[in-house]
Amino acid sequence: MKIEIKKLTENKAEEKIDINIKTWWTTYKGLIPDDAIAKLQVKTQERIEEEKKTIREKNNTYGIYVDNKLVGYSSFGPARDKNYKDSCEIYSCYILEEYQRLHLGRKVVIKILEDFINEGYKTMITKCLVGNPSNKFHEAIGGKYIKTGKFESLGYTFPENIYYHDDIKKSLEKNKKKEF
C-alpha cells in the first residue's frame, strides 16, 4: 500500500466534496440531525467552483492518498477562535471509513505540525463534536482536553470538545515515535 500526503490541488475539489459528504454521513449520523447533514452535504456546481477557489487561494489542505486514490484530507491554518489567537488549528481531518484505523490521520498530522513549526507556531488547538469517536484521536495526537465549546450551524448548536497542544514540537515528536 502506497501512502502519500500532499497538498490538494483544485482539480481534486469534487473528490474532496465527495469525501466530505460520505464522512459526514458515517461520522455525524446520530450526532447531528439528518436534515442538517443533508442541507450541509449537497454537491452543486457552485460548491465545486467555490471549493476550487478555496483550495487555490488558501493552499491549506493536504490530500491523503492510498495507491494514488484520494481517501481523505485535512485542512489547517491560524486558529479561528479568538481565545487562541496565537495558536494554529487543524480545522478538519476526514478519512473515508474504509481507510480509517490505518494511521493515515497521524501521518497527515505529522506533516501539518512540521508546517506549523516552520511557520513559527508553538501551540495548537483542535475541536471535535462531543460524542464523536474521533475525540480519542485528538487525545492520541497529543491534545489535552481543556473545555467544551459550541459549534453553530444552520440554526443548531452542538457541543464540541476543544483540545490544546501547549508545545507542538513535543506533539510532533510524540507522533513521529508512534508512526507506523
Side-chain angles (χ1 to χ4, degrees), residues 111-166:
K111 185 73 176 135
I112 291 169
L113 286 171
E114 289 172 342
D115 285 359
F116 281 152
I117 289 167
N118 288 336
E119 291 174 25
Y121 286 104
K122 299 190 181 343
T123 61
M124 179 175 80
I125 63 167
T126 61
K127 298 178 179 183
C128 189
L129 287 185
V130 170
N132 183 337
S134 295
N135 279 283
K136 292 178 185 172
F137 171 75
H138 290 267
E139 293 173 356
I141 62 169
K144 295 173 184 72
Y145 168 81
I146 54 171
K147 69 179 183 176
T148 299
K150 295 177 184 175
F151 169 70
E152 296 181 16
S153 184
L154 294 175
Y156 292 98
T157 300
F158 305 100
E160 67 180 356
N161 291 324
I162 301 172
Y163 296 90
Y164 187 68
H165 297 249
D166 60 1

Side-chain angles (χ1 to χ4, degrees), residues 5 10 22 36 59-60 71 86 93 97 100 103 134 146 149 162:
I5 308 297
E10 66 182 277
K22 288 176 186 171
N59 193 31
N60 70 338
V71 301
D86 294 329
C93 187
E97 190 172 42
Q100 293 177 6
H103 308 287
S134 295
I146 54 171
I162 301 172

Side-chain angles (χ1 to χ4, degrees), residues 7-173:
K7 283 286 179 93
L8 205 61
T9 55
E10 66 182 277
N11 68 329
K12 295 294 184 180
E14 192 167 353
E15 289 177 66
K16 178 182 184 265
I17 291 168
D18 289 339
I19 289 168
N20 190 267
I21 290 169
K22 288 176 186 171
T23 58
W24 269 64
W25 280 110
T26 58
T27 302
Y28 298 118
K29 189 153 183 70
L31 291 175
I32 294 178
D34 287 356
D35 67 313
I37 296 174
K39 286 177 187 173
L40 287 170
Q41 300 306 315
V42 177
K43 183 168 66 171
T44 62
Q45 191 59 42
E46 181 182 343
R47 183 174 178 192
I48 294 167
E49 293 306 317
E50 187 177 306
E51 192 64 52
K52 285 180 180 180
K53 181 180 177 188
T54 299
I55 291 169
R56 183 177 56 250
E57 290 179 0
K58 293 192 176 183
N59 193 31
N60 70 338
T61 302
Y62 277 113
I64 304 165
Y65 296 82
V66 173
D67 297 329
N68 297 315
K69 176 185 176 187
L70 182 64
V71 301
Y73 70 89
S74 188
S75 299
F76 54 93
R80 297 174 288 190
D81 186 323
K82 65 180 186 246
N83 295 314
Y84 306 96
K85 63 180 172 129
D86 294 329
S87 295
C88 51
E89 179 179 354
I90 296 177
Y91 305 140
S92 63
C93 187
Y94 293 114
I95 300 170
L96 293 173
E97 190 172 42
E98 60 269 30
Y99 291 92
Q100 293 177 6
R101 307 207 186 305
L102 297 176
H103 308 287
L104 302 174
R106 185 177 305 280
K107 289 181 184 303
V108 75
V109 165
I110 288 168
K111 185 73 176 135
I112 291 169
L113 286 171
E114 289 172 342
D115 285 359
F116 281 152
I117 289 167
N118 288 336
E119 291 174 25
Y121 286 104
K122 299 190 181 343
T123 61
M124 179 175 80
I125 63 167
T126 61
K127 298 178 179 183
C128 189
L129 287 185
V130 170
N132 183 337
S134 295
N135 279 283
K136 292 178 185 172
F137 171 75
H138 290 267
E139 293 173 356
I141 62 169
K144 295 173 184 72
Y145 168 81
I146 54 171
K147 69 179 183 176
T148 299
K150 295 177 184 175
F151 169 70
E152 296 181 16
S153 184
L154 294 175
Y156 292 98
T157 300
F158 305 100
E160 67 180 356
N161 291 324
I162 301 172
Y163 296 90
Y164 187 68
H165 297 249
D166 60 1
D167 183 340
I168 61 173
K169 285 183 180 178
K170 285 184 182 176
S171 293
L172 176 62
E173 290 169 19

